[in-house]
Amino acid sequence: MLYWLAETLDFAGVFNLIRYLSFRAGAAIFTALVIGLVIGPKFIGWLRVRQGKGQPIRDDGPQSHLAKRGTPTMGGLMILTSMVASVLLWMDLSSTYVWACLFVTLGFGAIGFLDDYDKVTKASHKGLSGKMRLAFEFLIAGVAAWMIVHQHGNTALYVPFYNGPAIELGPFYFCFAAFVIVAFGNAVNLTDGLDGLATMPVIIASLAFLLIVYLVGRADFAQYLGIPHVPGAGNLTILCGAIIGSGLAFLWFNAPPAAVFMGDTGSLALGGTIGVIAVTAHHEIVLGIIGGLFVVEALSVIIQVFFYKRTGKRVFRMAPIHHHFEQLGWAEPTVVIRFWIIAFVLALAGLATLKLR
């Protein structure tokens, strides 16, 4: 909205500053942060009244988590409210990439909301069926992938650490892109099991991709670094900024002991959004490095289920892997902070691929 004002109502350069991506990205962070902090207390109070017993806690999970009963969930609604409001205020809304990303954000958020609502109303941690969730997620991700490819027409896969030609996937790129979006959305969802565990790594990944989308949106920087140039992708710096601001605001209330849980509403939406940003920037493989913590969390569940069904034995004491370390005797804050450190190191490693080509 304000970008449109800068383009149409520029009286003597008053709105000229708004044209700069760096200014709008910073403004998006601040706007989302302020909105989140302002609406947080009343929003959490409303959730507590509406949900009563709060999010159901697994009886087969760590026993220390039973003390969290009564904590409201669906805090992701607070994140999405502040994030989308900030995006609509500062983003260039004529960009197809913006709407593709928002389509995934709101679509995955709606799926997560239905799952959270089902858990709360039925007082069960099961929620929607896995097949139903995946079907809707792939549908949403497929539409977003089509919107992105229709805009820039590029169906190649770019490999980090390699300066040769990209791998042309052709029509298979749509399936690959949809898989990346869905897989990362669910990986973040699986990571969201401890107070603040998923929130900070999401913020760190968003910071990394804020830089990446800015660089791929600039032809001069992209050519210098040997990375794909995607005209218009720089606008997504504002979206990354909005994720950072809303995430920081949510972390204020989600820090141990959490006053509210993110729920699938937030984790699924945030993961899917980062996934679609990576697809837009053609940094899908780099996403696996920057978001390596989420990848490991998801793989720990896959490995645990695979081996248990075939051998009846567990590889980890409990999955996802953050529960494994809890069972080893690590305190919850210890697990969270050490995983934050790992996420930060992996983000630096992912950014290093920008020059190592």
Side-chain angles (χ1 to χ4, degrees):
M1 183 182 296
L2 291 181
Y3 179 82
W4 176 82
L5 286 174
E7 291 293 311
T8 59
L9 302 174
D10 191 6
F11 300 112
V14 174
F15 294 101
N16 190 54
L17 190 62
I18 298 177
R19 291 195 177 102
Y20 292 96
L21 286 174
S22 55
F23 174 82
R24 286 187 285 134
I29 295 174
F30 180 76
T31 303
L33 175 62
V34 170
I35 293 174
L37 291 175
V38 169
I39 69 174
K42 291 185 177 180
F43 199 89
I44 293 171
W46 177 76
L47 287 175
R48 188 174 288 112
V49 171
R50 298 288 296 180
Q51 295 179 10
K53 296 181 179 180
Q55 176 173 300
I57 305 297
R58 292 173 53 182
D59 293 326
D60 59 344
Q63 294 301 302
S64 59
H65 289 203
L66 296 178
K68 299 181 181 184
R69 280 178 172 159
T71 304
T73 186
M74 295 189 192
L77 289 173
M78 185 179 79
I79 298 175
L80 297 183
T81 299
S82 56
M83 184 177 85
V84 173
S86 181
V87 167
L88 294 178
L89 189 63
W90 296 107
M91 187 80 88
D92 175 10
L93 298 179
S94 65
S95 171
T96 301
Y97 301 138
V98 175
W99 293 110
C101 291
L102 286 180
F103 181 68
V104 171
T105 301
L106 297 176
F108 276 37
I111 295 171
F113 174 81
L114 292 174
D115 196 53
D116 286 334
Y117 183 80
D118 200 48
K119 291 176 182 177
V120 171
T121 54
K122 295 180 179 178
S124 170
H125 64 268
K126 293 182 179 180
L128 299 176
S129 70
K131 291 182 179 179
M132 182 183 297
R133 277 183 47 155
L134 285 175
F136 282 114
E137 288 169 14
F138 270 104
L139 177 62
I140 293 168
V143 172
W146 177 85
M147 293 172 68
I148 293 168
V149 174
H150 181 73
Q151 179 68 18
H152 60 52
N154 191 346
T155 56
L157 174 64
Y158 294 83
V159 182
F161 310 112
Y162 175 63
N163 201 27
I167 303 172
E168 181 57 51
L169 297 182
F172 294 103
Y173 182 79
F174 294 96
C175 298
F176 172 73
F179 172 78
V180 169
I181 297 169
V182 172
F184 205 74
N186 283 281
V188 174
N189 182 229
L190 290 171
T191 306
D192 182 35
L194 302 179
D195 297 349
L197 178 59
T199 311
M200 182 54 75
V202 163
I203 293 171
I204 292 171
S206 298
L207 277 167
F209 272 97
L210 185 149
L211 176 61
I212 289 173
V213 294
Y214 178 78
L215 294 174
V216 301
R218 291 280 300 267
D220 49 352
F221 289 144
Q223 183 179 6
Y224 172 72
L225 293 170
I227 59 178
H229 170 50
V230 183
N235 282 304
L236 297 182
T237 56
I238 291 88
L239 176 58
C240 291
I243 296 174
I244 294 165
S246 59
L248 288 172
F250 180 76
L251 190 61
W252 182 268
F253 304 103
N254 187 235
V260 64
F261 295 142
M262 184 187 299
D264 293 1
T265 308
S267 58
L268 200 60
L270 291 175
T273 303
I274 296 175
V276 73
I277 290 172
V279 168
T280 304
H282 276 288
H283 276 67
E284 300 92 346
I285 296 178
V286 174
L287 172 65
I289 301 173
I290 292 175
L293 175 67
F294 302 115
V295 174
V296 170
E297 290 272 12
L299 286 177
S300 69
V301 174
I302 295 171
I303 292 170
Q304 185 86 321
V305 172
F306 178 84
F307 278 93
Y308 186 76
K309 284 186 174 180
R310 282 155 183 79
T311 66
K313 297 181 180 179
R314 292 179 170 86
V315 178
F316 308 102
R317 293 193 176 186
M318 187 176 292
I321 199 168
H322 55 260
H323 290 321
H324 171 77
F325 289 104
E326 281 191 290
Q327 295 298 321
L328 289 178
W330 291 19
E332 181 173 336
T334 302
V335 177
V336 171
I337 293 174
R338 287 178 178 174
F339 275 39
W340 286 0
I341 295 170
I342 293 170
F344 181 74
V345 172
L346 289 172
L348 292 178
L351 289 175
T353 66
L354 293 174
K355 190 54 183 170
L356 300 177
R357 298 187 183 239

